[in-house]
Amino acid sequence: MSDVVRKVVALSILIIGAGLLLAGRRSYTDTRDAKNEMEATIESARKHATSDDPRLKGTYSFERGGWVYVHLEGDPSTIGFQHGYMLAREIEDAFPAIVALMMHSTKRDWPFFREVAREKLWPKLDLEYQQELQGIAAGLNARTGSALDVYDLVALNSFEEVPDYYVPWLDKQEKKASAPNLKSPGNCSAFVATGSWTKDGQIVIAHNNWTTYMSGERWRVIFDIQPTHGYRILMDGFPGVIASDDDFGMNSDGLMVTETTISQFEGWDPNGKPEFMRARKALQYAGSIDEYTRIMLEGNNGGYANDWLLGDRKTGEIAQFELGLRAYKLWRTKDGVFSGSNWARDPKVLKEDAPQFDPNNPETSPNARRVRWEQLLNENKGKLDVSLAEQMLGDHVDSYEKKTDANERTLCGHVDSNARGISIWSWGPFYPGGAVQGKATDSTMAKEMRLVARMGHPCGDDFHAKPFLASHPEFAWQEPYLRDMKAGPWTFFQTDEIRPAAK
Ligand SMILES: [Zn+2]
């Protein structure tokens, strides 16, 4: 028996054993409890079954509140190996869903994305991130014998920037007559506040992630990364991806980071460096707002262009960093609030990077949410804290219709609720997308490397795939991947959830 086979057999016995043990021990009133406990036991079985590989020393993972928490530590290839190994099940589940999305929207095949990854993106990556990505492929392979290689993973890591930024640019270059109508996505509602705006003068930062449900329901990892170089990181993220990517995170030097994308952004610089790497690098190495903006600007490729909302708990200062390709702008204050809902506001960025976006149409999702943020934040000036932020992320007031109605214009997005869709993002009627999870933290929590997060719609509503697909056969192509998105509870996470006794 080879080592790998022996390990798989040993692991299977442990998992089956754990399941039987649990099933025989007690009866459950709630199947969900049973499932959670089962998963925890399986995870613990896994942990024990795998502890003999030296590269896995120190890593661990567990499930809580619908999230998968994973602790990674070491040099880049070790962090990658642990990531690929510990999240193998999640990567193998998420990968086909993302491949289907990328191919469906662009009408390009997977070899195309692999080639972009190998020829265009890989050479632009810093060595340490190449090593980390190779490590993910190695860890995944060691765990499951997966055939995915490093270029599949680089392509996966680029799922926000290649389909909606590079491909439209390429279609234009190639003057492709039948090019699909691709538009940069609008993702997320967020704010960061400080000074007299918050309850105790400290920074409060909060974000909900807007995506198609089939990717968002898999955006459920909490990464605790302790790299050999750079700062400790706590962030949410996607299986197999090295950046938070939606983005919400903090580092041990006091930086707090989130963003919302710039709607109708156009442009790509083929000489730039991938956004997913710059975003990860900035969170790992920036100790100040200035350093963060410097790293993001270095090799800016225009991909996944965002309005970054930043906070530095050491100084109490916050910033909005509107990062276009041809233009950018940084606003900063020690007493104020910045919100985001997928609109740009600098005239130069609007003119040069998002010329189609109309900031004055109150009916569109970004502008309606902008108005709602202004109302909510002004009403709560001086009272903002994490628990208020949780409520705001689940807010259902449509500022355009002036009524409560969970839809594409509310901070907690439910685009599937009606036939309007969001045309400026190419989201058609009843598009199965919206707010898929939320996170918040403040300076005190960030000092302890702690955040609170909720899986699913931040309002607590569930999405049910079966009735949705029955009513909307136009989304039948998502059927193999789209599943129920049940909301979990607001759940706390911090670094070092489990500390080995001897270290
Ligand atoms: Zn909601």
Side-chain angles (χ1 to χ4, degrees), residues 122-161:
W122 180 258
K124 308 281 185 192
L125 296 175
D126 292 356
L127 178 64
E128 74 168 288
Y129 300 111
Q130 290 181 337
Q131 290 170 339
E132 185 168 327
L133 287 155
Q134 282 167 329
I136 297 174
L140 179 61
N141 181 269
R143 181 68 171 269
T144 67
S146 166
L148 298 184
D149 69 9
V150 71
Y151 301 119
D152 291 314
L153 287 160
V154 173
L156 173 69
N157 273 260
S158 74
F159 81 91
E160 289 291 354
E161 58 195 298

mmCIF file of all heavy atoms in Angstrom, residues 122-161:
data_model
loop_
_atom_site.group_PDB
_atom_site.id
_atom_site.type_symbol
_atom_site.label_atom_id
_atom_site.label_comp_id
_atom_site.label_asym_id
_atom_site.label_seq_id
_atom_site.Cartn_x
_atom_site.Cartn_y
_atom_site.Cartn_z
ATOM 1 N N TRP A 122 1.099 34.503 -14.212
ATOM 2 C CA TRP A 122 2.162 33.840 -13.458
ATOM 3 C C TRP A 122 3.485 34.615 -13.481
ATOM 4 O O TRP A 122 4.099 34.816 -12.417
ATOM 5 C CB TRP A 122 2.364 32.414 -13.997
ATOM 6 C CG TRP A 122 3.433 31.644 -13.309
ATOM 7 C CD1 TRP A 122 4.699 31.401 -13.769
ATOM 8 C CD2 TRP A 122 3.351 31.023 -12.015
ATOM 9 N NE1 TRP A 122 5.411 30.658 -12.861
ATOM 10 C CE2 TRP A 122 4.601 30.415 -11.775
ATOM 11 C CE3 TRP A 122 2.344 30.924 -11.048
ATOM 12 C CZ2 TRP A 122 4.871 29.707 -10.592
ATOM 13 C CZ3 TRP A 122 2.613 30.229 -9.881
ATOM 14 C CH2 TRP A 122 3.858 29.633 -9.664
ATOM 15 N N PRO A 123 3.952 35.083 -14.660
ATOM 16 C CA PRO A 123 5.245 35.784 -14.679
ATOM 17 C C PRO A 123 5.247 37.083 -13.875
ATOM 18 O O PRO A 123 6.310 37.600 -13.544
ATOM 19 C CB PRO A 123 5.481 36.085 -16.169
ATOM 20 C CG PRO A 123 4.543 35.186 -16.909
ATOM 21 C CD PRO A 123 3.375 34.966 -16.006
ATOM 22 N N LYS A 124 4.057 37.611 -13.576
ATOM 23 C CA LYS A 124 3.983 38.888 -12.850
ATOM 24 C C LYS A 124 3.882 38.693 -11.337
ATOM 25 O O LYS A 124 3.796 39.669 -10.586
ATOM 26 C CB LYS A 124 2.737 39.670 -13.301
ATOM 27 C CG LYS A 124 2.607 39.847 -14.792
ATOM 28 C CD LYS A 124 3.498 40.966 -15.267
ATOM 29 C CE LYS A 124 3.264 41.212 -16.762
ATOM 30 N NZ LYS A 124 4.309 42.100 -17.304
ATOM 31 N N LEU A 125 3.828 37.450 -10.897
ATOM 32 C CA LEU A 125 3.661 37.205 -9.456
ATOM 33 C C LEU A 125 5.006 37.214 -8.741
ATOM 34 O O LEU A 125 5.998 36.680 -9.250
ATOM 35 C CB LEU A 125 2.985 35.843 -9.235
ATOM 36 C CG LEU A 125 1.557 35.684 -9.758
ATOM 37 C CD1 LEU A 125 1.091 34.241 -9.568
ATOM 38 C CD2 LEU A 125 0.610 36.642 -9.057
ATOM 39 N N ASP A 126 5.045 37.797 -7.566
ATOM 40 C CA ASP A 126 6.249 37.721 -6.729
ATOM 41 C C ASP A 126 6.514 36.255 -6.396
ATOM 42 O O ASP A 126 5.576 35.463 -6.247
ATOM 43 C CB ASP A 126 6.050 38.497 -5.415
ATOM 44 C CG ASP A 126 5.944 39.996 -5.640
ATOM 45 O OD1 ASP A 126 6.100 40.438 -6.801
ATOM 46 O OD2 ASP A 126 5.675 40.719 -4.651
ATOM 47 N N LEU A 127 7.784 35.946 -6.212
ATOM 48 C CA LEU A 127 8.190 34.564 -5.937
ATOM 49 C C LEU A 127 7.418 33.959 -4.764
ATOM 50 O O LEU A 127 6.979 32.810 -4.817
ATOM 51 C CB LEU A 127 9.703 34.520 -5.661
ATOM 52 C CG LEU A 127 10.261 33.136 -5.315
ATOM 53 C CD1 LEU A 127 10.104 32.195 -6.504
ATOM 54 C CD2 LEU A 127 11.732 33.231 -4.892
ATOM 55 N N GLU A 128 7.246 34.749 -3.698
ATOM 56 C CA GLU A 128 6.605 34.138 -2.522
ATOM 57 C C GLU A 128 5.165 33.726 -2.793
ATOM 58 O O GLU A 128 4.686 32.742 -2.230
ATOM 59 C CB GLU A 128 6.695 35.053 -1.286
ATOM 60 C CG GLU A 128 5.793 36.250 -1.270
ATOM 61 C CD GLU A 128 5.762 36.897 0.117
ATOM 62 O OE1 GLU A 128 5.171 36.312 1.054
ATOM 63 O OE2 GLU A 128 6.355 37.978 0.261
ATOM 64 N N TYR A 129 4.479 34.446 -3.688
ATOM 65 C CA TYR A 129 3.096 34.064 -3.991
ATOM 66 C C TYR A 129 3.052 32.932 -5.023
ATOM 67 O O TYR A 129 2.124 32.123 -5.010
ATOM 68 C CB TYR A 129 2.280 35.293 -4.382
ATOM 69 C CG TYR A 129 2.268 36.284 -3.233
ATOM 70 C CD1 TYR A 129 2.937 37.505 -3.315
ATOM 71 C CD2 TYR A 129 1.679 35.937 -2.018
ATOM 72 C CE1 TYR A 129 2.984 38.369 -2.226
ATOM 73 C CE2 TYR A 129 1.719 36.792 -0.926
ATOM 74 C CZ TYR A 129 2.376 38.015 -1.032
ATOM 75 O OH TYR A 129 2.434 38.857 0.049
ATOM 76 N N GLN A 130 4.077 32.865 -5.884
ATOM 77 C CA GLN A 130 4.188 31.685 -6.760
ATOM 78 C C GLN A 130 4.363 30.437 -5.894
ATOM 79 O O GLN A 130 3.730 29.401 -6.117
ATOM 80 C CB GLN A 130 5.393 31.825 -7.698
ATOM 81 C CG GLN A 130 5.214 32.884 -8.771
ATOM 82 C CD GLN A 130 6.419 32.970 -9.705
ATOM 83 O OE1 GLN A 130 7.531 32.581 -9.354
ATOM 84 N NE2 GLN A 130 6.207 33.504 -10.901
ATOM 85 N N GLN A 131 5.222 30.563 -4.885
ATOM 86 C CA GLN A 131 5.478 29.411 -3.998
ATOM 87 C C GLN A 131 4.217 29.031 -3.225
ATOM 88 O O GLN A 131 3.920 27.852 -3.030
ATOM 89 C CB GLN A 131 6.611 29.747 -3.023
ATOM 90 C CG GLN A 131 7.960 29.836 -3.705
ATOM 91 C CD GLN A 131 9.049 30.400 -2.795
ATOM 92 O OE1 GLN A 131 8.755 31.076 -1.794
ATOM 93 N NE2 GLN A 131 10.303 30.136 -3.130
ATOM 94 N N GLU A 132 3.490 30.047 -2.781
ATOM 95 C CA GLU A 132 2.268 29.746 -2.020
ATOM 96 C C GLU A 132 1.239 29.028 -2.907
ATOM 97 O O GLU A 132 0.606 28.048 -2.477
ATOM 98 C CB GLU A 132 1.678 31.040 -1.436
ATOM 99 C CG GLU A 132 0.486 30.783 -0.527
ATOM 100 C CD GLU A 132 0.060 32.007 0.279
ATOM 101 O OE1 GLU A 132 0.946 32.827 0.642
ATOM 102 O OE2 GLU A 132 -1.145 32.144 0.539
ATOM 103 N N LEU A 133 1.103 29.487 -4.146
ATOM 104 C CA LEU A 133 0.147 28.852 -5.065
ATOM 105 C C LEU A 133 0.587 27.430 -5.421
ATOM 106 O O LEU A 133 -0.244 26.520 -5.503
ATOM 107 C CB LEU A 133 -0.016 29.718 -6.321
ATOM 108 C CG LEU A 133 -0.827 30.998 -6.067
ATOM 109 C CD1 LEU A 133 -0.481 32.094 -7.059
ATOM 110 C CD2 LEU A 133 -2.330 30.696 -6.123
ATOM 111 N N GLN A 134 1.891 27.237 -5.618
ATOM 112 C CA GLN A 134 2.391 25.875 -5.865
ATOM 113 C C GLN A 134 2.118 25.002 -4.654
ATOM 114 O O GLN A 134 1.780 23.826 -4.772
ATOM 115 C CB GLN A 134 3.898 25.916 -6.153
ATOM 116 C CG GLN A 134 4.206 26.357 -7.572
ATOM 117 C CD GLN A 134 5.678 26.694 -7.783
ATOM 118 O OE1 GLN A 134 6.363 27.160 -6.866
ATOM 119 N NE2 GLN A 134 6.163 26.457 -8.997
ATOM 120 N N GLY A 135 2.260 25.598 -3.473
ATOM 121 C CA GLY A 135 1.977 24.868 -2.239
ATOM 122 C C GLY A 135 0.516 24.437 -2.150
ATOM 123 O O GLY A 135 0.209 23.322 -1.720
ATOM 124 N N ILE A 136 -0.400 25.332 -2.582
ATOM 125 C CA ILE A 136 -1.830 24.970 -2.549
ATOM 126 C C ILE A 136 -2.068 23.754 -3.445
ATOM 127 O O ILE A 136 -2.738 22.788 -3.050
ATOM 128 C CB ILE A 136 -2.724 26.153 -2.991
ATOM 129 C CG1 ILE A 136 -2.579 27.333 -2.015
ATOM 130 C CG2 ILE A 136 -4.188 25.713 -3.065
ATOM 131 C CD1 ILE A 136 -3.314 28.597 -2.439
ATOM 132 N N ALA A 137 -1.492 23.791 -4.660
ATOM 133 C CA ALA A 137 -1.666 22.663 -5.590
ATOM 134 C C ALA A 137 -1.107 21.381 -4.975
ATOM 135 O O ALA A 137 -1.729 20.315 -5.047
ATOM 136 C CB ALA A 137 -0.992 22.973 -6.922
ATOM 137 N N ALA A 138 0.066 21.490 -4.330
ATOM 138 C CA ALA A 138 0.700 20.307 -3.736
ATOM 139 C C ALA A 138 -0.134 19.763 -2.574
ATOM 140 O O ALA A 138 -0.320 18.548 -2.437
ATOM 141 C CB ALA A 138 2.110 20.660 -3.267
ATOM 142 N N GLY A 139 -0.631 20.651 -1.734
ATOM 143 C CA GLY A 139 -1.430 20.223 -0.582
ATOM 144 C C GLY A 139 -2.734 19.574 -1.010
ATOM 145 O O GLY A 139 -3.170 18.558 -0.457
ATOM 146 N N LEU A 140 -3.359 20.169 -2.026
ATOM 147 C CA LEU A 140 -4.610 19.633 -2.560
ATOM 148 C C LEU A 140 -4.364 18.242 -3.127
ATOM 149 O O LEU A 140 -5.118 17.296 -2.870
ATOM 150 C CB LEU A 140 -5.099 20.597 -3.651
ATOM 151 C CG LEU A 140 -6.382 20.281 -4.399
ATOM 152 C CD1 LEU A 140 -7.560 20.220 -3.445
ATOM 153 C CD2 LEU A 140 -6.636 21.347 -5.471
ATOM 154 N N ASN A 141 -3.283 18.132 -3.885
ATOM 155 C CA ASN A 141 -2.949 16.845 -4.491
ATOM 156 C C ASN A 141 -2.649 15.788 -3.431
ATOM 157 O O ASN A 141 -3.077 14.641 -3.533
ATOM 158 C CB ASN A 141 -1.760 17.032 -5.434
ATOM 159 C CG ASN A 141 -1.380 15.734 -6.100
ATOM 160 O OD1 ASN A 141 -0.546 14.991 -5.592
ATOM 161 N ND2 ASN A 141 -2.032 15.434 -7.206
ATOM 162 N N ALA A 142 -1.913 16.201 -2.381
ATOM 163 C CA ALA A 142 -1.565 15.247 -1.325
ATOM 164 C C ALA A 142 -2.813 14.754 -0.606
ATOM 165 O O ALA A 142 -2.891 13.609 -0.172
ATOM 166 C CB ALA A 142 -0.607 15.905 -0.332
ATOM 167 N N ARG A 143 -3.799 15.604 -0.481
ATOM 168 C CA ARG A 143 -5.004 15.247 0.271
ATOM 169 C C ARG A 143 -5.952 14.376 -0.527
ATOM 170 O O ARG A 143 -6.524 13.417 -0.016
ATOM 171 C CB ARG A 143 -5.724 16.529 0.713
ATOM 172 C CG ARG A 143 -6.991 16.307 1.522
ATOM 173 C CD ARG A 143 -6.662 15.722 2.880
ATOM 174 N NE ARG A 143 -7.783 15.680 3.763
ATOM 175 C CZ ARG A 143 -8.125 16.644 4.611
ATOM 176 N NH1 ARG A 143 -7.437 17.764 4.649
ATOM 177 N NH2 ARG A 143 -9.145 16.511 5.411
ATOM 178 N N THR A 144 -6.158 14.745 -1.796
ATOM 179 C CA THR A 144 -7.217 14.067 -2.557
ATOM 180 C C THR A 144 -6.726 13.424 -3.844
ATOM 181 O O THR A 144 -7.509 12.779 -4.535
ATOM 182 C CB THR A 144 -8.323 15.075 -2.961
ATOM 183 O OG1 THR A 144 -7.769 16.005 -3.893
ATOM 184 C CG2 THR A 144 -8.870 15.816 -1.761
ATOM 185 N N GLY A 145 -5.461 13.658 -4.200
ATOM 186 C CA GLY A 145 -4.986 13.173 -5.494
ATOM 187 C C GLY A 145 -5.540 14.011 -6.632
ATOM 188 O O GLY A 145 -5.534 13.595 -7.792
ATOM 189 N N SER A 146 -6.009 15.222 -6.305
ATOM 190 C CA SER A 146 -6.601 16.118 -7.302
ATOM 191 C C SER A 146 -5.659 16.354 -8.479
ATOM 192 O O SER A 146 -4.454 16.476 -8.316
ATOM 193 C CB SER A 146 -6.913 17.458 -6.637
ATOM 194 O OG SER A 146 -7.173 18.441 -7.614
ATOM 195 N N ALA A 147 -6.235 16.455 -9.658
ATOM 196 C CA ALA A 147 -5.434 16.709 -10.862
ATOM 197 C C ALA A 147 -5.263 18.199 -11.123
ATOM 198 O O ALA A 147 -4.586 18.591 -12.066
ATOM 199 C CB ALA A 147 -6.095 16.049 -12.061
ATOM 200 N N LEU A 148 -5.861 19.046 -10.291
ATOM 201 C CA LEU A 148 -5.712 20.491 -10.507
ATOM 202 C C LEU A 148 -4.255 20.876 -10.305
ATOM 203 O O LEU A 148 -3.615 20.454 -9.345
ATOM 204 C CB LEU A 148 -6.579 21.277 -9.524
ATOM 205 C CG LEU A 148 -8.090 21.075 -9.607
ATOM 206 C CD1 LEU A 148 -8.807 21.994 -8.639
ATOM 207 C CD2 LEU A 148 -8.589 21.310 -11.024
ATOM 208 N N ASP A 149 -3.735 21.701 -11.212
ATOM 209 C CA ASP A 149 -2.351 22.136 -11.051
ATOM 210 C C ASP A 149 -2.309 23.623 -10.731
ATOM 211 O O ASP A 149 -3.338 24.280 -10.553
ATOM 212 C CB ASP A 149 -1.527 21.774 -12.288
ATOM 213 C CG ASP A 149 -1.925 22.590 -13.504
ATOM 214 O OD1 ASP A 149 -2.720 23.549 -13.361
ATOM 215 O OD2 ASP A 149 -1.434 22.267 -14.608
ATOM 216 N N VAL A 150 -1.082 24.148 -10.675
ATOM 217 C CA VAL A 150 -0.921 25.522 -10.208
ATOM 218 C C VAL A 150 -1.594 26.527 -11.149
ATOM 219 O O VAL A 150 -2.087 27.565 -10.708
ATOM 220 C CB VAL A 150 0.573 25.847 -9.974
ATOM 221 C CG1 VAL A 150 1.342 25.968 -11.279
ATOM 222 C CG2 VAL A 150 0.736 27.109 -9.129
ATOM 223 N N TYR A 151 -1.673 26.210 -12.466
ATOM 224 C CA TYR A 151 -2.298 27.176 -13.380
ATOM 225 C C TYR A 151 -3.814 27.189 -13.230
ATOM 226 O O TYR A 151 -4.448 28.231 -13.415
ATOM 227 C CB TYR A 151 -1.866 26.901 -14.820
ATOM 228 C CG TYR A 151 -0.358 26.999 -14.958
ATOM 229 C CD1 TYR A 151 0.409 25.909 -15.358
ATOM 230 C CD2 TYR A 151 0.305 28.186 -14.617
ATOM 231 C CE1 TYR A 151 1.792 25.998 -15.435
ATOM 232 C CE2 TYR A 151 1.688 28.282 -14.684
ATOM 233 C CZ TYR A 151 2.432 27.185 -15.087
ATOM 234 O OH TYR A 151 3.786 27.281 -15.152
ATOM 235 N N ASP A 152 -4.374 26.024 -12.886
ATOM 236 C CA ASP A 152 -5.805 26.026 -12.552
ATOM 237 C C ASP A 152 -6.047 26.945 -11.352
ATOM 238 O O ASP A 152 -7.024 27.693 -11.300
ATOM 239 C CB ASP A 152 -6.276 24.608 -12.183
ATOM 240 C CG ASP A 152 -6.292 23.671 -13.382
ATOM 241 O OD1 ASP A 152 -6.794 24.066 -14.442
ATOM 242 O OD2 ASP A 152 -5.775 22.537 -13.249
ATOM 243 N N LEU A 153 -5.122 26.874 -10.392
ATOM 244 C CA LEU A 153 -5.303 27.677 -9.173
ATOM 245 C C LEU A 153 -5.063 29.161 -9.430
ATOM 246 O O LEU A 153 -5.760 30.006 -8.877
ATOM 247 C CB LEU A 153 -4.391 27.151 -8.061
ATOM 248 C CG LEU A 153 -4.908 25.822 -7.503
ATOM 249 C CD1 LEU A 153 -3.830 25.065 -6.776
ATOM 250 C CD2 LEU A 153 -6.105 26.070 -6.581
ATOM 251 N N VAL A 154 -4.088 29.491 -10.281
ATOM 252 C CA VAL A 154 -3.874 30.905 -10.628
ATOM 253 C C VAL A 154 -5.118 31.436 -11.342
ATOM 254 O O VAL A 154 -5.590 32.546 -11.060
ATOM 255 C CB VAL A 154 -2.610 31.075 -11.501
ATOM 256 C CG1 VAL A 154 -2.490 32.516 -12.001
ATOM 257 C CG2 VAL A 154 -1.355 30.695 -10.704
ATOM 258 N N ALA A 155 -5.671 30.622 -12.246
ATOM 259 C CA ALA A 155 -6.894 31.040 -12.949
ATOM 260 C C ALA A 155 -8.046 31.227 -11.964
ATOM 261 O O ALA A 155 -8.810 32.196 -12.058
ATOM 262 C CB ALA A 155 -7.259 30.009 -14.015
ATOM 263 N N LEU A 156 -8.150 30.319 -10.997
ATOM 264 C CA LEU A 156 -9.177 30.466 -9.957
ATOM 265 C C LEU A 156 -8.966 31.768 -9.174
ATOM 266 O O LEU A 156 -9.909 32.519 -8.912
ATOM 267 C CB LEU A 156 -9.135 29.265 -8.998
ATOM 268 C CG LEU A 156 -10.030 29.353 -7.757
ATOM 269 C CD1 LEU A 156 -11.507 29.266 -8.132
ATOM 270 C CD2 LEU A 156 -9.691 28.243 -6.747
ATOM 271 N N ASN A 157 -7.706 32.047 -8.828
ATOM 272 C CA ASN A 157 -7.402 33.268 -8.079
ATOM 273 C C ASN A 157 -7.770 34.537 -8.852
ATOM 274 O O ASN A 157 -7.982 35.582 -8.256
ATOM 275 C CB ASN A 157 -5.921 33.307 -7.697
ATOM 276 C CG ASN A 157 -5.643 32.594 -6.383
ATOM 277 O OD1 ASN A 157 -5.499 33.224 -5.337
ATOM 278 N ND2 ASN A 157 -5.612 31.261 -6.415
ATOM 279 N N SER A 158 -7.816 34.416 -10.180
ATOM 280 C CA SER A 158 -8.092 35.596 -11.010
ATOM 281 C C SER A 158 -9.571 35.724 -11.341
ATOM 282 O O SER A 158 -9.933 36.502 -12.206
ATOM 283 C CB SER A 158 -7.281 35.515 -12.299
ATOM 284 O OG SER A 158 -7.850 34.545 -13.175
ATOM 285 N N PHE A 159 -10.435 34.986 -10.640
ATOM 286 C CA PHE A 159 -11.830 34.941 -11.092
ATOM 287 C C PHE A 159 -12.566 36.264 -10.977
ATOM 288 O O PHE A 159 -13.576 36.479 -11.626
ATOM 289 C CB PHE A 159 -12.606 33.769 -10.457
ATOM 290 C CG PHE A 159 -13.136 33.962 -9.054
ATOM 291 C CD1 PHE A 159 -14.409 34.455 -8.836
ATOM 292 C CD2 PHE A 159 -12.370 33.590 -7.955
ATOM 293 C CE1 PHE A 159 -14.917 34.592 -7.535
ATOM 294 C CE2 PHE A 159 -12.870 33.721 -6.659
ATOM 295 C CZ PHE A 159 -14.145 34.229 -6.450
ATOM 296 N N GLU A 160 -12.052 37.187 -10.199
ATOM 297 C CA GLU A 160 -12.672 38.514 -10.176
ATOM 298 C C GLU A 160 -12.114 39.424 -11.263
ATOM 299 O O GLU A 160 -12.783 40.355 -11.688
ATOM 300 C CB GLU A 160 -12.477 39.192 -8.806
ATOM 301 C CG GLU A 160 -13.290 38.570 -7.683
ATOM 302 C CD GLU A 160 -14.791 38.810 -7.824
ATOM 303 O OE1 GLU A 160 -15.214 39.540 -8.723
ATOM 304 O OE2 GLU A 160 -15.533 38.229 -7.008
ATOM 305 N N GLU A 161 -10.874 39.224 -11.684
ATOM 306 C CA GLU A 161 -10.292 40.208 -12.597
ATOM 307 C C GLU A 161 -10.203 39.778 -14.054
ATOM 308 O O GLU A 161 -10.304 40.623 -14.940
ATOM 309 C CB GLU A 161 -8.916 40.680 -12.106
ATOM 310 C CG GLU A 161 -7.876 39.592 -11.924
ATOM 311 C CD GLU A 161 -6.680 40.087 -11.094
ATOM 312 O OE1 GLU A 161 -6.004 41.010 -11.531
ATOM 313 O OE2 GLU A 161 -6.454 39.526 -9.998
#
